[in-house]
Amino acid sequence: MTSESSKTANQKTDQQLHKEKMQKQKERVDAQIAKNSIERGVAILMTGNGKGKTSSAFGMVFRALGYGQRVGIVQFIKGAQESGEVNFIRQHCDNAEIYQMGTGFTWNTQDKAADIAASERTWVVAERMLADDQFDLVVLDELTYMIGYKYLDRSKIIDAISNRPREQSVVVTGRGGGRELREVMDTVSDVKNVKHGYAAGIKARRGVDC
Amino acid sequence: MTSESSKTANQKTDQQLHKEKMQKQKERVDAQIAKNSIERGVAILMTGNGKGKTSSAFGMVFRALGYGQRVGIVQFIKGAQESGEVNFIRQHCDNAEIYQMGTGFTWNTQDKAADIAASERTWVVAERMLADDQFDLVVLDELTYMIGYKYLDRSKIIDAISNRPREQSVVVTGRGGGRELREVMDTVSDVKNVKHGYAAGIKARRGVDC
């Protein structure tokens, strides 16, 4: 056997081994796909202390809008500062309705009673969307803090999510939220902060951070 | 003191305590903001086994587009299946350029040599974007798998990310990627799967999963 033909034989083996391994993996994947028979909206929680929770929710907003679906977005806390994704939606997306609590962070307002009143007004909008089957997707950005601060009643939030229309998906973002909320969600991702440019002295940046 | 006035006194105290606590927190936050003086693009890695990595990258795409920034998106692996966010961008976003490797998962192609050739063609597009300061944001979706499979050379990826224009941000997504990639990134989020509706038998759903 020449060195060339030996090399070709080895390459073939590598290709063949790869093909066999991938064929087995395909069978596993296909079996899981065949097993999954439940068709309904999903409830997703993006939690944890790392970057990417709100941006993930908005990625799903555009995923839904790309199929012509109708989206409702309620932002707790946020709205006092400009954000690119909200700019974009206001300019380009008739199929999305957005409501912002707009108070800013608790350390800026420094007024608990006013924050509670604002969170209750904001919840009214969220509750209306969660009861309306015209919304294919509802995003409740930073809702978890309202539970953590005890600004909103946990059980009424869990009831509204549990009793939403069957085909409606919901995405909740924010750190914490508690065990009861996690239980009612179908999918929970815990976004861990491994490192953050902000801690290394890099300013928050338009287009990625806000 | 009547019960009413006692209640009012307690509420005042609660409000006051809240205000003092928030004032201290505001001072800490403001000090960090003042300390952060570096203004440049950031490199972000969304990794881990949980849901939300690609959607987070696309959330940042719309964040950038909301400020009129120019965005480049390269999707490794993906493109064989329809996705809502790509539909949306193709229909509505002139300011975004998108390139998809388009082969689908390795267990579908089952052809290593063809996958490597496709990944190299796709990398040419990524490398061109990473060298072009007209792009404010570059997304390299599922690039980590190309490193993990050894389809692309790790060091040329790290060089291209390190040497990109100073004002350009980059988002890389995908599981793994290795220590050297993490080191060159400013921000790393590890998206942990706590639970996933898919494992509970719910079908992947348009508008949230694809």
Side-chain angles (χ1 to χ4, degrees), chain A residues 101-210:
Chain A
M101 182 164 144
T103 53
F105 297 111
T106 51
W107 54 88
N108 284 323
T109 59
Q110 301 184 11
D111 186 337
K112 193 171 170 179
D115 284 352
I116 290 172
S119 72
E120 284 172 351
R121 284 194 303 273
T122 308
W123 176 252
V124 171
V125 180
E127 208 165 32
R128 193 237 316 148
M129 289 176 174
L130 289 170
D132 182 352
D133 65 6
Q134 295 301 300
F135 288 100
D136 300 287
L137 175 66
V138 174
V139 170
L140 304 172
D141 190 34
E142 303 198 317
L143 173 64
T144 58
Y145 302 106
M146 302 300 102
I147 301 173
Y149 299 158
K150 297 188 167 50
Y151 286 3
L152 292 176
D153 178 53
R154 183 195 310 267
S155 64
K156 83 177 169 191
I157 290 172
I158 287 172
D159 285 353
I161 291 173
S162 306
N163 297 322
R164 75 191 192 283
R166 182 179 167 86
E167 299 298 322
Q168 185 183 85
S169 293
V170 60
V171 183
V172 174
T173 77
R175 300 185 191 195
R179 183 180 54 78
E180 292 95 331
L181 181 66
R182 283 199 303 278
E183 277 173 8
V184 83
M185 309 307 278
D186 301 299
T187 296
V188 177
S189 289
D190 182 12
V191 184
K192 297 266 187 203
N193 179 45
V194 178
K195 63 175 166 174
H196 200 301
Y198 193 71
I202 305 173
K203 278 197 178 183
R205 194 160 178 88
R206 279 183 165 189
V208 290
D209 292 312
C210 53

Side-chain angles (χ1 to χ4, degrees), chain A residues 14-15 18-19 22-23 25-26 29-30 32-33 35-42 44 46 50-67 69 78 82-85 87-88 91-93 106-115 137 151 166-169 171 182-210, chain B residues 14-15 18-19 22-23 25-26 29-30 32-33 35-42 44 46 50-67 69 78 82-85 87-88 91-93 106-115 137 151 166-169 171 182-210:
Chain A
D14 183 41
Q15 278 276 80
H18 177 81
K19 190 173 165 54
M22 291 301 113
Q23 181 56 33
Q25 192 166 348
K26 181 174 161 54
V29 171
D30 287 349
Q32 178 70 42
I33 291 171
K35 217 183 70 180
N36 282 19
S37 57
I38 307 166
E39 291 202 56
R40 63 166 173 81
V42 289
I44 298 165
M46 299 295 304
K51 174 175 175 54
K53 301 181 291 292
T54 295
S55 55
S56 176
F58 277 84
M60 288 182 257
V61 166
F62 292 102
R63 200 164 265 178
L65 292 175
Y67 290 110
Q69 296 181 4
K78 279 181 189 148
E82 190 180 7
S83 80
E85 63 274 34
N87 285 352
F88 188 90
Q91 289 159 16
H92 301 285
C93 305
T106 51
W107 54 88
N108 284 323
T109 59
Q110 301 184 11
D111 186 337
K112 193 171 170 179
D115 284 352
L137 175 66
Y151 286 3
R166 182 179 167 86
E167 299 298 322
Q168 185 183 85
S169 293
V171 183
R182 283 199 303 278
E183 277 173 8
V184 83
M185 309 307 278
D186 301 299
T187 296
V188 177
S189 289
D190 182 12
V191 184
K192 297 266 187 203
N193 179 45
V194 178
K195 63 175 166 174
H196 200 301
Y198 193 71
I202 305 173
K203 278 197 178 183
R205 194 160 178 88
R206 279 183 165 189
V208 290
D209 292 312
C210 53
Chain B
D14 183 40
Q15 278 276 79
H18 176 83
K19 190 173 164 56
M22 291 300 113
Q23 180 56 33
Q25 192 166 349
K26 181 174 160 55
V29 172
D30 288 349
Q32 178 71 39
I33 292 170
K35 217 183 71 179
N36 283 20
S37 57
I38 307 165
E39 291 202 57
R40 63 166 173 81
V42 288
I44 298 165
M46 299 296 302
K51 174 176 176 53
K53 302 181 291 292
T54 295
S55 55
S56 176
F58 277 86
M60 289 184 256
V61 165
F62 292 101
R63 202 165 263 178
L65 292 175
Y67 291 110
Q69 297 181 4
K78 279 181 188 148
E82 189 180 9
S83 81
E85 62 274 34
N87 285 353
F88 189 90
Q91 290 160 15
H92 301 287
C93 304
T106 50
W107 54 88
N108 285 322
T109 60
Q110 301 184 11
D111 186 338
K112 192 170 172 179
D115 284 351
L137 175 66
Y151 285 4
R166 183 181 166 84
E167 298 298 322
Q168 185 184 85
S169 294
V171 183
R182 283 198 304 277
E183 277 174 7
V184 82
M185 308 307 278
D186 301 299
T187 296
V188 177
S189 289
D190 182 11
V191 184
K192 297 267 187 202
N193 178 46
V194 177
K195 62 175 167 175
H196 199 301
Y198 194 71
I202 304 173
K203 277 197 179 184
R205 195 160 177 89
R206 281 185 163 188
V208 290
D209 292 313
C210 54

Side-chain angles (χ1 to χ4, degrees), chain B:
Chain B
M1 212 190 271
T2 67
S3 150
E4 266 305 295
S5 68
S6 152
K7 197 179 156 199
T8 308
N10 283 339
Q11 279 179 336
K12 270 190 188 161
T13 308
D14 183 40
Q15 278 276 79
Q16 191 52 41
L17 285 171
H18 176 83
K19 190 173 164 56
E20 284 166 13
K21 191 176 154 194
M22 291 300 113
Q23 180 56 33
K24 278 185 190 143
Q25 192 166 349
K26 181 174 160 55
E27 283 159 17
R28 284 194 297 273
V29 172
D30 288 349
Q32 178 71 39
I33 292 170
K35 217 183 71 179
N36 283 20
S37 57
I38 307 165
E39 291 202 57
R40 63 166 173 81
V42 288
I44 298 165
L45 173 64
M46 299 296 302
T47 188
N49 63 350
K51 174 176 176 53
K53 302 181 291 292
T54 295
S55 55
S56 176
F58 277 86
M60 289 184 256
V61 165
F62 292 101
R63 202 165 263 178
L65 292 175
Y67 291 110
Q69 297 181 4
R70 182 154 178 76
V71 180
I73 303 157
V74 178
Q75 293 198 292
F76 293 86
I77 300 176
K78 279 181 188 148
Q81 291 183 312
E82 189 180 9
S83 81
E85 62 274 34
V86 173
N87 285 353
F88 189 90
I89 287 172
R90 293 226 159 106
Q91 290 160 15
H92 301 287
C93 304
D94 293 340
N95 247 8
E97 180 185 337
I98 187 158
Y99 181 91
Q100 296 182 301
M101 182 163 144
T103 53
F105 297 111
T106 50
W107 54 88
N108 285 322
T109 60
Q110 301 184 11
D111 186 338
K112 192 170 172 179
D115 284 351
I116 291 173
S119 73
E120 285 172 349
R121 285 193 303 273
T122 308
W123 175 251
V124 171
V125 180
E127 208 165 31
R128 192 242 309 152
M129 289 177 175
L130 289 169
D132 183 351
D133 65 6
Q134 295 301 300
F135 288 101
D136 300 286
L137 175 66
V138 175
V139 170
L140 304 172
D141 190 33
E142 303 199 317
L143 174 63
T144 57
Y145 302 106
M146 303 299 102
I147 301 173
Y149 299 157
K150 296 188 167 49
Y151 285 4
L152 293 175
D153 178 53
R154 184 196 309 268
S155 64
K156 83 177 169 191
I157 291 172
I158 288 173
D159 284 353
I161 291 173
S162 306
N163 298 321
R164 74 190 193 282
R166 183 181 166 84
E167 298 298 322
Q168 185 184 85
S169 294
V170 59
V171 183
V172 174
T173 76
R175 300 185 191 193
R179 184 181 54 78
E180 292 97 328
L181 180 67
R182 283 198 304 277
E183 277 174 7
V184 82
M185 308 307 278
D186 301 299
T187 296
V188 177
S189 289
D190 182 11
V191 184
K192 297 267 187 202
N193 178 46
V194 177
K195 62 175 167 175
H196 199 301
Y198 194 71
I202 304 173
K203 277 197 179 184
R205 195 160 177 89
R206 281 185 163 188
V208 290
D209 292 313
C210 54

Side-chain angles (χ1 to χ4, degrees), chain A residues 67-96:
Chain A
Y67 290 110
Q69 296 181 4
R70 180 153 180 76
V71 180
I73 302 157
V74 178
Q75 293 198 292
F76 293 85
I77 301 176
K78 279 181 189 148
Q81 291 183 312
E82 190 180 7
S83 80
E85 63 274 34
V86 173
N87 285 352
F88 188 90
I89 286 171
R90 293 226 159 106
Q91 289 159 16
H92 301 285
C93 305
D94 294 338
N95 247 8

